[in-house]
Each structure stands twice: as C-alpha cells, then as structure tokens.
C-alpha cells in the first residue's frame, strides 16, 4: 500500500519523521540509552570495525566521524566484499559491527562469520530482526524503520544513522569524552530531528526543481566535506541507482586532485554544505567549480545561503541543525533529488533495472 504516494520510495521518504520518532522512543528513556540484552560495555572496547555494503556502508562511514570525534574511539570501516577476502587481523578488544537493512546481504553475513570467534563482540544494526545477521550477532540492534520496499534505501538509512549516533553517544558517555550536559544537548537535538525532517520535506518543490534541471545531464558530481562527505556518496549512489545518471561523489578537498578536470557547463555539481565549521572551505571549492562554468546546486541552511547562495544555479535552504546531526537531515534532500530526477526521466523508481532489494548472492 503506497498510502496515496506514486511510489513506495516516496512513501518511505515521507514516513521518516514518524519512523524516526518511534525509533527514538524505542532507544531513549530521558537521556539514557536503552540497549537490548546483553548490552555493550564500551569501557573495554579498544577498536571498532564496521562492515556493510551500499547505503549501509555510507551509514558506517558517517558513524566513523561520530565515534572518532565524540568518543575518541579508533574506527575502521570497510565494504563487506573487500573485508572478507582480505582476511584482516581482528584482534581482542575489537567490536565488529555490521549494518544491514535486510540482514541477509551475502557479503556482510560472510564478513560477520569471519569475525565470529575473533572479535570480542559481534554487533549488528538491522531492520529485519529475524534475519541471519541479527541471529548470528551477540547483540542485534533493530533500527525500527518498518518494512522498506523501494530498492533505493531511504528510511533505513536515516534509522541506521540514528542507532549509530546513539551508540557513539553511549561510547562517549562511558569513555568520558563528553560530559552529561553535552550528551543531554545532543539528545535534545536528536529529539528535535523529526520536526526538522518535516521542515526538510516541505522544501520538496525546490528539490524537485533542482532535480528537473539535473535530469538531462549525463554526469553529476556530488561534493561534501566532513559529515557531508559520506552523505555526498549516498546522494550519488541514490541518483545512479534509480535515475541511471552517472554520478560520482568526492570529498570537496579532493576536487583539485583530479575531478575538477571534469567540470564544464554540462556537469551539474550538487554541494551539501550547511554553515558548519568547514563551510568556508567548501565554498571556496564551490567557487572553483563555478569559475570553470560548473553549475552548482547548493544545499545549505539560511546562513549558508545568505553568505554563498547568490551565484549558485540553484540554492536549496534547509533548517539549521547541529552540524553533528546534519547527515540525518541532509539525507532527505539527497533522497528527494534522486527521486525527482528518476520521476522526470520516467524510470522504474521502486524496481530499478539490474537491482534487487536484498543481495543474497556474492
Ligand atoms: O540489506 P542491506 O542493507 O545489507 O543492503 C545493502 C545494499 O545492498 C543496499 O544498501 C543498496 O546499496 C541499496 N539499494 C541502496 O539504496
């Protein structure tokens, strides 16, 4: 049932405020995290290894920034199909964490089995609670996204981010890298996120307009720095898989190490840049793009638009958010740009060619 939407993907994007609010109430009691049994004691954790595929991998990449910055915990992130065949050393003191919507992705499951008996604890972050990955974990953390039907993962991504952020906060609390006041503040910001999601969904007409401009392009570049880099990767993946437009993402700082050679008037560049601590650096990369005739869709907040929006091809203004939580909020425009570009091109949004919802083969 598409609940009045044209596609499951549109429905699943629109559901995010409600789904996230539910997920928050499942995990939080006041400012304390509620974990399913047997819980996880971060005092003993020396290293976190996170493994996943596709969108779930980008959730892990985002979480690396959180665990490192907030909890000062060393983190490694890898793609399951690389990790499993590389046979990396997994030493004591390691928590191995696997993220999967379906819980059945063959490479992720094989990577989990490789770590079993080597890592101290196997943790999974899953949507399907009865899945193989959940069953074979010491601790399975449900994301509470509800059934996701569209092949392009949307609400599962934001709900994965939510659980990973809460885990990073818990690690920070136990390791004493954030004090109670800072944690309460961040939880307050997270609790405000469903409301900000609604505000972001209201920006849909501007995103639709941007997507229609992008739709005729053959190639699109996505740029972001810091927390916005994994999100740029996610935006590019979404666009490729449902609109079949070739899209690539780069960390903004890498632009001049190669990809800037691609820039001309025919390659739209989507820049995710809230006015955070790295904003000025991203803007100077954006100006390098515009100086070469590149057309920029700038996704930012009011302060960012006021200081750098004037020369962009199009500026999309999102609500202001704590920069540490920006990946959750900016996921919505990334999804909506891809969705509207696919609709404009008339592709099969929910069942894109060559793709399956759950990749159970290697
Ligand atoms: O079920 P999983 O989360 O393990 O699936 C991983 C990827 O196959 C999945 O995220 C894929 O990249 C999506 N189609 C992205 O939208």
């Amino acid at each position: 049932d598409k609940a009045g939407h044209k596609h499951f993907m549109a429905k699943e994007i629109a559901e995010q405020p409600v789904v996230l609010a539910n997920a928050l109430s499942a995990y939080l009691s006041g400012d304390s995290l509620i974990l399913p049994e047997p819980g996880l004691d971060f005092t003993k954790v020396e290293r976190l290894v996170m493994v996943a595929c596709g969108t779930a991998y980008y959730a892990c990449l985002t979480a690396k920034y959180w665990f490192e910055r907030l909890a000062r915990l060393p983190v490694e992130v890898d793609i399951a199909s690389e990790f499993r065949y590389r046979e990396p050393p997994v030493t004591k003191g390691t928590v191995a964490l696997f993220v999967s919507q379906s819980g059945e992705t063959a490479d992720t499951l094989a990577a989990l089995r490789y770590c079993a008996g080597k890592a101290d604890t196997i943790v999974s972050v899953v949507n399907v609670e009865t899945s193989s990955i959940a069953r074979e974990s010491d601790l399975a953390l449900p994301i509470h996204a509800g059934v996701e039907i569209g092949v392009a993962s949307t609400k599962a991504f934001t709900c994965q981010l939510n659980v990973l952020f809460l885990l990073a906060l818990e690690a920070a609390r136990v390791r004493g890298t954030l004090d109670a006041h800072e944690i309460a503040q961040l939880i307050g910001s997270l609790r405000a996120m469903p409301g900000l999601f609604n505000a972001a969904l209201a920006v849909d007409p501007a995103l639709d307009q941007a997507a229609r401009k992008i739709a005729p392009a053959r190639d699109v570049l996505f740029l972001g720095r810091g927390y916005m880099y994994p999100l740029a990767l996610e935006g590019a993946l979404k666009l490729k898989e449902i609109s079949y437009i070739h899209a690539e993402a780069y960390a903004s700082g890498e632009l001049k190490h190669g990809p800037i050679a691609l820039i001309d008037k025919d390659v739209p560049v989507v820049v995710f840049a809230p006015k955070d601590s790295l904003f000025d650096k991203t803007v100077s990369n954006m100006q390098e793009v515009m100086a070469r005739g590149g057309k920029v869709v700038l996704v930012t907040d009011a302060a960012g638009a006021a200081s750098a929006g004037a020369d962009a091809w199009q500026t999309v203004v999102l609500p202001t958010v704590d920069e540490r939580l920006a990946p959750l909020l900016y996921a919505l425009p990334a999804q909506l740009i891809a969705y509207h570009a696919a609709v404009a091109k008339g592709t099969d949004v929910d069942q894109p060619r060559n793709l399956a919802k759950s990749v159970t083969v290697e």
Side-chain angles (χ1 to χ4, degrees):
D1 175 22
K2 296 180 190 147
H5 293 275
K6 255 176 85 182
H7 300 99
F8 282 109
M9 184 181 177
K11 168 179 175 263
E12 289 160 3
I13 291 172
E15 272 171 3
Q16 288 176 105
V18 171
V19 165
L20 179 64
N22 290 341
L24 281 170
S25 51
Y27 274 102
L28 284 173
S29 161
D31 292 340
S32 309
L33 178 66
I34 317 164
L35 283 185
E37 288 303 316
L40 182 60
D41 179 3
F42 274 105
T43 51
K44 299 189 184 72
V45 182
E46 288 164 20
R47 170 174 170 259
L48 186 62
V49 172
M50 305 176 78
V51 181
C53 302
T55 285
Y57 168 69
Y58 297 140
C60 294
L61 271 188
T62 309
K64 177 180 168 80
Y65 288 71
W66 286 328
F67 280 105
E68 290 184 351
R69 279 218 188 140
L70 305 178
R72 310 306 302 159
L73 185 65
V75 178
E76 255 176 71
V77 181
D78 212 340
I79 296 164
S81 56
E82 285 300 315
F83 180 87
R84 59 177 291 202
Y85 296 115
R86 204 174 63 240
E87 301 184 1
V90 177
T91 47
K92 286 287 157 207
T94 299
V95 165
L97 192 153
F98 302 86
V99 180
S100 176
Q101 186 284 130
S102 63
E104 300 296 346
T105 299
D107 284 322
T108 310
L109 181 57
L112 182 154
R113 287 177 177 157
Y114 171 80
C115 289
K118 298 188 184 77
D120 284 356
T121 316
I122 306 283
V123 181
S124 61
V125 172
V126 292
N127 197 28
V128 181
E129 294 177 49
T130 52
S131 61
S132 307
I133 288 176
R135 279 187 277 112
E136 295 189 28
S137 304
D138 300 316
L139 173 68
L141 302 172
I143 59 171
H144 299 295
V147 178
E148 190 181 68
I149 292 173
V151 164
S153 188
T154 53
K155 61 178 180 169
F157 178 66
T158 44
C159 289
Q160 286 161 351
L161 290 180
N162 174 49
V163 170
L164 293 168
F165 182 76
L166 288 169
L167 270 188
L169 277 191
E170 175 63 10
R173 186 184 68 77
V174 170
R175 294 164 63 85
T177 51
L178 289 180
D179 63 32
H181 175 71
E182 290 167 307
I183 290 175
Q185 243 181 1
L186 280 168
I187 288 182
S189 303
L190 189 57
R191 286 190 189 280
M193 192 55 68
L196 295 186
F197 273 9
N198 276 318
L201 292 173
V203 177
D204 190 49
L207 293 164
D208 186 17
Q209 204 188 339
R212 283 167 197 267
K213 290 191 203 165
I214 287 172
R218 207 187 60 175
D219 310 285
V220 175
L221 220 56
F222 284 76
L223 298 178
R225 256 179 205 268
Y227 290 112
M228 291 295 107
Y229 170 47
L231 208 259
L233 289 161
E234 168 63 1
L237 174 63
K238 282 291 88 94
L239 188 69
K240 305 185 238 230
E241 69 176 335
I242 60 168
S243 77
Y244 315 146
I245 299 171
H246 168 236
E248 276 198 71
Y250 274 92
S252 311
E254 274 292 294
L255 193 65
K256 45 169 103 51
H257 299 285
I260 198 161
L262 295 171
I263 301 296
D264 66 16
K265 61 175 185 13
D266 298 321
V267 182
V269 181
V270 180
V271 181
F272 295 116
K275 195 150 189 330
D276 58 14
S277 47
L278 299 172
F279 180 76
D280 293 339
K281 298 217 175 292
T282 306
V283 166
S284 80
N285 300 133
M286 196 177 99
Q287 280 157 351
E288 287 158 12
V289 167
M290 293 189 300
R292 286 158 184 83
K295 291 177 177 147
V296 171
V297 173
L298 172 64
V299 184
T300 184
D301 48 27
S307 82
D311 302 321
W313 197 29
Q314 187 168 340
T315 301
V316 178
V317 182
L318 293 188
T320 303
V321 63
D322 184 307
E323 71 174 87
R324 292 161 293 187
L325 285 165
L328 278 100
L329 187 65
Y330 281 65
L332 275 55
Q335 297 162 358
L336 284 165
I337 288 173
Y339 174 73
H340 289 301
V343 170
K345 292 194 70 178
T347 55
D348 188 344
V349 171
D350 287 331
Q351 287 287 328
R353 67 187 184 201
N354 310 340
L355 289 171
K357 180 64 183 161
S358 174
V359 183
T360 52
V361 291
E362 299 183 356

